[in-house]
Amino acid sequence: MAQYSRISGSVGLITLSNPPVNALSAAVRQGIVDTVEKALGDPQVKSVVICGQDGIFCGGADIKEFGKNMSGPPLIPMIHTIECATKPMVAAIEGSALGGGLELALGCHYRIAHSKARLGLPEVTLGLLPAAGGSQRLPRLIGVPAALDLITTGRHVTAAEALQLGIVDQVTDHATVDAAVKFALSVAGKPLDTRRISTYPCPHVSDVDALCENVMQKVRKSAHGAIAPIACVQAVRAAATLPYTQGMEREKELMATLYTSGQARALQYSFFAQRAVSKWRIPSGARWDTSTPRPLHKVAVIGLGTMGRGITVALAQAGLPVITVETHEKQLMEAKRAVSDMLNRGAKRRGVAPPLDKISYSCNLQDLADVDLVIEAVFEDMTLKKKVFRQLSAVCKPGTLLCTNTSGLDVDQLASQSRNPELVVGMHFFAPAHVMKLLEVVYGPQSSPQAVATAMQLGKKMGKVSVAVGNCRGFVGNRMLKLYTEQASFLLEEGATPDLVDQAIEEFGFPMGVFKVSDLSGLDVGWRIRKEEKLAGLSVASGQSTRIREGRRYSPLADLLCEQGRFGQKTGRGWYQYDKPGGRVARSDPWLHHFLEEYRAQHGLVARHIDHQEVLERCLYAMINEGFRILEDGIAAGPEDIDVIYVFGYGWPRHRGGPMFYSGMVGLEKVLERLEHYYQAHPDVPHLQPCRLLRRLVARGSPPVHKWREVIKNLHSQL
Ligand SMILES: CCCCCCC/C=C/C(=O)SCCNC(=O)CCNC(=O)[C@H](O)C(C)(C)COP(=O)(O)OP(=O)(O)OC[C@H]1O[C@@H](n2cnc3c(N)ncnc32)[C@H](O)[C@@H]1OP(=O)(O)O
């Protein structure tokens, strides 16, 4: 787990060896302890280089070991021994030096990095802090403000930035280990007193309390209830105000609270869930490791509205040649200007050249004859999309993959319009498409393994977290969201206000409450869909009660607001009021409160007191229940898929893992009991009826989330 050799006569070379990222498992730590002892005890060795196998220094502590009983040598004394060594210790950093990996490097006397290496202390993203001395050494090395930035955000820095900050001593474009060995030879025998970071005083900051308080306030605002960033500020403050040994005590104390917290469990689950979803498998038996994606030389986007523009930008930024098509020259030119602006802004931010030349613009569908993949992003209208699919089917060369960007339309219906339904998949992007990380790849019963693999790989190339999901109304994300927003409206009917509901949701950790999101995205979008579905508007069958549609409870509140022209931010009025159309700051609206009172009076509803707990239970448990139904239906392969969709696409607080993980944290019995309670109180809301899988899991003793797949498999085999 750590190999030892002597090279260039007098350099001891220690190579961490634990593929794929050389994580510091118990065996690796033992290997380091043993090889360091060997190197220090070998009189021929005058200096030591520590590197990692296969082009990566070290991805940090082994996350799989967290939550279990730790065995093997602990990191802190191991790093301390390295720092105290009387022979120069040099870290040769290739690939990544993250978390415990960087902390190990900070224990060395020198750090040489390859120009492509990335360094960071991302523990905060796992609900932890750099507790192997990182929170105490980094501020001593680079100063408190820079350390606060790196440790509280967990961001990775490039080798160039690391050099500028003083984290590394040298950056090389050549073989890193060779450069480190050369360096080690040059420093052999030199005094090390000035190279032990733990002995440095923390660089002076004029008002450290004010600085830390300022950062603390920022962190509190952006953390949405996450505790690790706060502990990170406290740990760095300790580095700035206490001697090293006392700072280490504080680091240990803070880590002890985080280490066993539910938030750390949730964040670590989320880390592995994000990786698990890339290993997709679908009911046809096709899977990630047996399906070969199609090479993509040229792709196309049809329809350059908001979504089409964002998708074009994401494709061009991923380095793909794109041809875009709009119906009219005027719209095409408008879109070209907008896309170019977006690319220019993105390039400026990243300090690169804008990939404007990757995109060509056309009004002629015939220009798509030679593309390998098309993403149709026209208006969300089935008739229009079907027409486009028929045209594409006739124009494109055989084998072209046809993808539809839709937030919920039936992908199978569209596939039926194509000559090759096996080449059709849905790609549900989230707005803004060049920013949002989530992509739902929607497969149908006929989608070929290659089509799914290609869309998944394309998502990855665009920097998205792609999740393969089955075809159903709203797919996974929007299908669940519908139940959440529906409950929120019911709560208004029963006595809540948008302010109260949003406050409860935001306190839970969502960046925005349900009504603020609705105002932001525009109430008219859902209204149009409901009118098409004949749930709203003039086409509602006469004689139907306003509050019952298709035999179940329905809230017309959003429709009534739309009828008044209250579409949200864009009209300056919605669930809230704004200072002007397009205004961003939501203010409570007395008109709305009065409107709700009148509505209740009109329908004989008596307002009752609703507290935050009920808001959360009704909104979140209804959504979770639907998540279980989605698993039951085989639309999502496992709870991780749903959770990743919610964390990356819907603002679910990552430190709560995702809705399915959260239900396990709450306790499945409790979720079941509360759903039963609410279903009894609202029998006209069938979605509150606890579903079979939830009942089955509770009957099986509520196994942890990673065991659910077995229960789901058994359930499916009985159907
Ligand atoms: C009281 C106890 C005191 C303990 C003190 C502890 C102080 C230190 C704490 C830490 O170090 S926490 C860990 C900090 N490190 C990270 O957060 C890095 C996590 N990894 C990554 O960001 C990336 O994996 C990477 C290193 C940048 C490589 O990215 P790449 O895209 O190339 O590969 P991935 O698909 O992400 O990963 C491949 C494979 O490796 C697994 N993995 C990655 N990192 C770790 C890890 N640190 N521990 C365990 N496993 C890791 C990852 O899950 C993938 O596995 P598979 O999906 O292939 O099974």
Side-chain angles (χ1 to χ4, degrees):
M1 288 296 185
Q3 270 117 37
Y4 177 69
S5 59
R6 184 154 52 82
I7 56 169
S8 299
S10 63
V11 179
L13 180 67
I14 295 173
T15 309
L16 313 187
S17 152
N18 182 16
V21 302
N22 299 322
L24 295 164
S25 62
V28 173
R29 297 196 305 274
Q30 189 61 59
I32 297 174
V33 167
D34 295 344
T35 50
V36 166
E37 196 184 324
K38 210 173 202 173
L40 298 181
D42 183 346
Q44 309 260 45
V45 168
K46 305 293 178 217
S47 51
V48 180
V49 168
I50 304 182
C51 66
Q53 179 184 286
D54 294 337
I56 173 162
F57 181 70
C58 175
D62 187 342
I63 305 166
K64 290 194 195 90
E65 283 183 355
F66 293 156
K68 299 182 186 140
N69 281 336
M70 283 280 200
S71 62
L75 271 176
I76 293 176
M78 182 191 95
I79 295 172
H80 183 68
T81 305
I82 290 171
E83 193 183 57
C84 291
T86 49
K87 299 177 185 179
M89 309 292 285
V90 182
I93 301 172
E94 290 177 310
S96 302
L98 299 172
L102 180 55
E103 293 180 286
L104 167 65
L106 292 174
C108 293
H109 306 119
Y110 299 96
R111 286 155 295 281
I112 313 293
H114 190 267
S115 52
K116 296 220 168 103
R118 319 270 302 181
L119 299 88
L121 293 175
E123 286 88 340
V124 68
T125 64
L126 297 165
L128 306 174
L129 62 84
S135 75
Q136 303 305 299
R137 284 197 179 89
L138 194 67
R140 285 178 162 77
L141 184 63
I142 66 170
V144 178
L148 276 170
D149 167 35
L150 293 199
I151 294 175
T152 58
T153 61
R155 77 181 176 89
H156 301 181
V157 296
T158 59
E161 189 178 351
L163 184 66
Q164 198 187 14
L165 286 168
I167 300 177
V168 299
D169 302 289
Q170 198 179 91
V171 173
T172 178
D173 283 325
H174 306 288
T176 317
V177 177
D178 292 352
V181 169
K182 199 168 153 203
F183 188 89
L185 287 166
S186 75
V187 291
K190 292 215 170 133
L192 293 170
D193 300 341
T194 58
R195 303 300 312 174
R196 298 189 178 99
I197 299 172
S198 71
T199 64
Y200 295 3
C202 215
H204 177 73
V205 189
S206 63
D207 188 347
V208 75
D209 288 333
L211 171 69
C212 290
E213 189 43 45
N214 189 13
V215 176
M216 185 66 98
Q217 273 177 22
K218 276 196 204 140
V219 156
R220 282 219 165 91
K221 205 163 163 207
S222 60
H224 301 295
I227 54 174
I230 289 160
C232 286
V233 179
Q234 291 169 325
V236 176
R237 190 177 180 283
T241 53
L242 298 172
Y244 176 74
T245 30
Q246 285 178 37
M248 286 298 283
E249 278 304 310
R250 184 79 179 121
E251 182 189 270
K252 188 175 165 189
E253 225 172 72
L254 291 163
M255 179 64 158
T257 316
L258 297 180
Y259 192 70
T260 50
S261 68
Q263 293 197 3
R265 271 175 59 198
L267 286 159
Q268 288 155 27
Y269 160 83
S270 195
F271 173 86
F272 289 115
Q274 186 182 340
R275 279 147 187 89
V277 298
S278 63
K279 297 181 175 147
W280 57 273
R281 54 176 70 209
I282 59 177
S284 67
R287 40 187 284 168
W288 68 284
D289 50 351
T290 55
S291 310
T292 317
R294 212 197 133 131
L296 298 176
H297 304 292
K298 193 173 178 188
V299 299
V301 176
I302 302 193
L304 289 177
T306 312
M307 291 309 288
R309 292 175 191 184
I311 296 167
T312 303
V313 169
L315 289 166
Q317 282 176 343
L320 281 153
V322 196
I323 173 159
T324 56
V325 178
E326 248 302 341
T327 32
H328 298 103
E329 187 68 24
K330 185 167 171 276
Q331 279 131 321
L332 188 72
M333 287 305 113
E334 238 170 58
K336 183 176 178 179
R337 269 192 299 278
V339 166
S340 304
D341 281 353
M342 285 150 86
L343 284 174
N344 282 326
R345 276 198 303 271
K348 197 169 163 198
R349 224 179 10 254
R350 292 187 290 166
V352 294
L356 300 170
D357 58 343
K358 290 280 175 209
I359 309 173
S360 52
Y361 296 85
S362 167
C363 281
N364 189 353
L365 218 57
Q366 301 298 329
D367 288 343
L368 305 191
D370 66 341
V371 299
D372 302 304
L373 177 144
V374 183
I375 301 177
E376 164 279 302
V378 302
F379 201 60
E380 193 80 338
D381 172 334
M382 184 52 104
T383 315
L384 176 63
K385 282 186 188 275
K386 277 184 174 172
K387 184 174 153 210
V388 171
F389 261 65
R390 281 194 297 274
Q391 289 171 331
L392 286 172
S393 212
V395 165
C396 295
K397 66 182 178 189
T400 298
L401 299 183
L402 302 185
C403 308
T404 174
N405 170 57
T406 168
S407 58
L409 293 180
D410 184 352
V411 174
D412 295 344
Q413 261 199 59
L414 280 173
S416 71
Q417 305 299 304
S418 159
R419 269 199 309 242
N420 303 100
E422 73 281 7
L423 298 179
V424 174
V425 287
M427 286 180 99
H428 178 200
F429 288 87
F430 290 72
H434 59 302
V435 176
M436 290 292 285
K437 290 284 278 181
L438 180 66
L439 175 68
E440 282 183 316
V441 170
V442 189
Y443 60 83
Q446 301 193 68
S447 306
S448 71
Q450 191 184 45
V452 180
T454 309
M456 289 294 283
Q457 201 196 44
L458 177 60
K460 191 172 176 192
K461 200 154 188 210
M462 286 190 275
K464 308 281 176 213
V465 178
S466 311
V467 186
V469 299
N471 180 32
C472 66
R473 193 149 190 81
F475 316 131
V476 169
N478 285 345
R479 175 167 157 183
M480 287 168 71
L481 190 74
K482 190 166 182 246
L483 283 309
Y484 165 78
T485 52
E486 184 182 81
Q487 284 300 320
S489 284
F490 293 161
L491 286 163
L492 296 191
E493 293 183 337
E494 292 164 36
T497 60
D499 319 51
L500 174 112
V501 173
D502 280 357
Q503 204 189 357
I505 305 264
E506 286 166 20
E507 272 174 17
F508 179 77
F510 279 90
M512 263 183 156
V514 51
F515 292 109
K516 283 192 193 139
V517 171
S518 168
D519 272 0
L520 174 69
S521 39
L523 276 74
D524 51 326
V525 182
W527 190 37
R528 187 168 39 76
I529 296 171
R530 290 191 297 277
K531 282 194 285 190
E532 271 165 27
E533 289 173 340
K534 306 201 183 333
L535 284 170
L538 298 173
S539 46
V540 174
S542 60
Q544 281 215 64
S545 152
T546 327
R547 297 183 52 245
I548 297 286
R549 294 280 187 280
E550 296 170 352
R552 52 188 290 254
R553 181 170 171 188
Y554 177 84
S555 170
L557 285 173
D559 303 334
L560 295 172
L561 291 196
C562 287
E563 282 166 20
Q564 306 252 359
R566 294 179 72 107
F567 293 166
Q569 286 188 6
K570 62 176 98 168
T571 56
R573 297 276 185 277
W575 299 106
Y576 294 92
Q577 57 176 326
Y578 300 85
D579 57 354
K580 56 175 190 290
R584 295 283 175 95
V585 183
R587 278 183 299 116
S588 184
D589 190 348
W591 179 92
L592 197 277
H593 297 173
H594 180 67
F595 159 79
L596 288 175
E597 278 160 21
E598 276 193 343
Y599 173 87
R600 290 183 200 116
Q602 189 188 345
H603 294 281
L605 298 164
V606 180
R608 60 184 177 82
H609 172 73
I610 290 169
D611 60 14
H612 282 197
Q613 191 179 342
E614 179 172 354
V615 172
L616 292 182
E617 288 181 350
R618 293 269 298 274
C619 294
L620 303 185
Y621 295 0
M623 173 156 85
I624 287 166
N625 197 29
E626 193 63 12
F628 281 114
R629 261 190 212 106
I630 282 171
L631 291 173
E632 228 176 76
D633 295 350
I635 295 293
E640 296 85 357
D641 301 71
I642 297 178
D643 286 337
V644 165
I645 286 172
Y646 261 81
V647 166
F648 287 96
Y650 293 85
W652 183 282
R654 196 176 161 110
H655 61 269
R656 292 191 189 266
M660 308 321 286
F661 179 86
Y662 174 71
S663 69
M665 291 292 268
V666 170
L668 297 183
E669 306 85 339
K670 177 168 177 207
V671 175
L672 175 62
E673 182 267 310
R674 295 315 289 157
L675 279 168
E676 268 166 349
H677 165 84
Y678 289 121
Y679 180 51
Q680 214 166 42
H682 307 279
D684 51 356
V685 186
H687 281 94
L688 287 173
Q689 184 173 25
C691 75
R692 203 165 25 160
L693 176 58
L694 174 57
R695 288 187 188 286
R696 170 83 57 116
L697 284 163
V698 172
R700 295 270 187 287
S702 302
V705 69
H706 66 271
K707 298 242 165 98
W708 292 4
R709 279 180 199 243
E710 279 165 45
V711 181
I712 297 166
K713 214 163 116 191
N714 288 342
L715 191 76
H716 287 166
S717 65
Q718 286 166 18
L719 294 177

